[in-house]
Amino acid sequence: MPSSSSRRSFLKTAFGGACAAVLTGCDRLSNTQWFPKILGTGEQLNRSAQRSITSRKSMAQEFTDADLSPEFRSNGTDNPDDPAYRALAANQFADWSLRVDGLVNQPSDFTLARLRAMRSRTQITRHDCVEGWSAIGKWTGVPLSDVLAVVQPHAGARYAVFHCADVMDDGARYYESVDLDDAYHPQTILAYALNGRALPIANGAPLRVRIERQLGYKMAKYIMRIELVESFHTIADGQGGYWEDRGYEWYAGI
Ligand SMILES: Nc1nc2c(c(=O)[nH]1)N[C@H]1C(S)=C(S)[C@@H](COP(=O)(O)O)O[C@H]1N2
Ligand SMILES: [Mo]
């Protein structure tokens, strides 16, 4: 993996004159997570170039309570109108469970109570939406790695696909996918709480994923099922996600 100084020199080269004028400022920028995140998408670097400038194991920046946005806005679906979802919501999700299956040894169902009883992680992070807004929120949930430890993915499993409850205006259901590097990342959690309270419906209740080094559209809300697959192209002959099927990059991170 490249050292942070080689990453800095890459960034200085990539940003040439702009960085030469304000070297110290550029050093500071390159040490934060969001700078490479924006570089990776704005400059249309491909995935291998992104991998070569930043370790896949690096952590997204975490913040403090003082940094929390006054309100964490909602984007995309804010209340799925799927009848099965509405029935679950009417009963505070007491009858909801997460199905985890596909290429696994132990297909399993996780109720909210079961998820809440597992190890939890709380992290304060910044969410960046490609539509041009960001917000800092405090998320609590189960590391996805712990859920995967229960279901035991097969050696051939390469991606986790998140199947969601909401159907978009064009009739397609929202879904997303990540590779297992990101699925096992310590900051990848299945979040059931936001800012110390049960996750609001507007932000994905009862469960949404946080994949902190990627952009907002990867962070599937209203998750009903996680499927382990060898290729995400087998999902509806698609490109790995609702927005990816409409032209967005599958790899939306550093
Ligand atoms: N199921 C589902 N997940 C989704 C979306 C959606 O419309 N449906 N929108 C995505 C986008 S573009 C963003 S920016 C975030 C918004 O999360 P928020 O509503 O908590 O702000 O959720 C992402 N996950
Ligand atoms: Mo977004």
Side-chain angles (χ1 to χ4, degrees):
M1 283 301 164
S3 66
S4 61
S5 70
S6 70
R7 191 177 87 196
R8 279 196 294 276
S9 49
F10 174 90
L11 292 167
K12 280 170 196 162
T13 309
F15 281 76
C19 278
V22 279
L23 264 185
T24 50
C26 266
D27 269 0
R28 212 178 306 126
L29 283 176
S30 66
N31 284 328
T32 67
Q33 284 297 312
W34 61 267
F35 186 67
K37 190 148 79 174
I38 288 166
L39 174 72
T41 52
E43 298 297 305
Q44 295 296 308
L45 290 182
N46 67 27
R47 193 171 167 205
S48 62
Q50 288 166 345
R51 274 183 193 267
S52 74
I53 59 167
T54 313
S55 164
R56 291 299 307 277
K57 291 190 165 52
S58 66
M59 300 287 276
Q61 184 176 6
E62 294 194 17
F63 298 82
T64 68
D65 284 293
D67 303 312
L68 287 173
S69 299
E71 185 207 359
F72 200 100
R73 58 167 284 185
S74 171
N75 201 47
T77 305
D78 62 8
N79 193 358
D81 54 18
D82 175 73
Y85 178 88
R86 301 258 21 108
L88 292 166
N91 202 17
Q92 280 72 52
F93 303 105
D95 304 318
W96 171 92
S97 64
L98 171 71
R99 177 75 179 163
V100 187
D101 61 9
L103 299 179
V104 301
N105 290 334
Q106 296 287 333
S108 306
D109 297 291
F110 296 82
T111 62
L112 263 187
R114 182 176 179 187
L115 292 171
R116 286 204 193 97
M118 292 171 71
R119 180 172 69 110
S120 75
R121 188 178 203 281
T122 295
Q123 57 204 29
I124 300 177
T125 52
R126 204 190 57 229
H127 176 110
D128 298 312
C129 173
V130 290
E131 290 172 28
W133 60 274
S134 298
I136 293 178
K138 175 157 69 176
W139 304 95
T140 302
V142 191
L144 179 54
S145 59
D146 289 10
V147 167
L148 295 178
V150 173
V151 301
Q152 301 162 35
H154 295 172
R158 294 180 59 203
Y159 302 94
V161 180
F162 305 94
H163 295 280
C164 305
D166 52 324
V167 174
M168 306 296 278
D169 288 343
D170 58 8
R173 193 169 287 275
Y174 204 93
Y175 76 105
E176 257 301 340
S177 59
V178 289
D179 64 22
L180 292 193
D181 280 352
D182 269 314
Y184 282 108
H185 187 275
Q187 290 170 316
T188 298
I189 63 173
L190 298 172
Y192 46 72
L194 169 59
N195 295 338
R197 290 190 299 275
L199 186 64
I201 286 179
N203 302 103
L207 198 71
R208 72 100 51 85
V209 70
R210 299 297 310 168
I211 304 160
E212 299 296 354
R213 299 171 308 165
Q214 299 217 28
L215 291 167
Y217 64 88
K218 298 299 288 187
M219 318 233 187
K221 308 193 282 188
Y222 318 112
I223 300 174
M224 304 301 288
R225 174 180 175 219
I226 301 175
E227 182 185 10
L228 278 290
V229 298
E230 200 257 320
S231 164
F232 54 71
H233 296 300
T234 58
I235 310 298
D237 287 328
Q239 302 302 313
Y242 174 81
W243 284 114
E244 287 84 338
D245 291 345
R246 286 148 190 83
Y248 285 30
E249 289 285 318
W250 178 81
Y251 194 70
I254 54 172

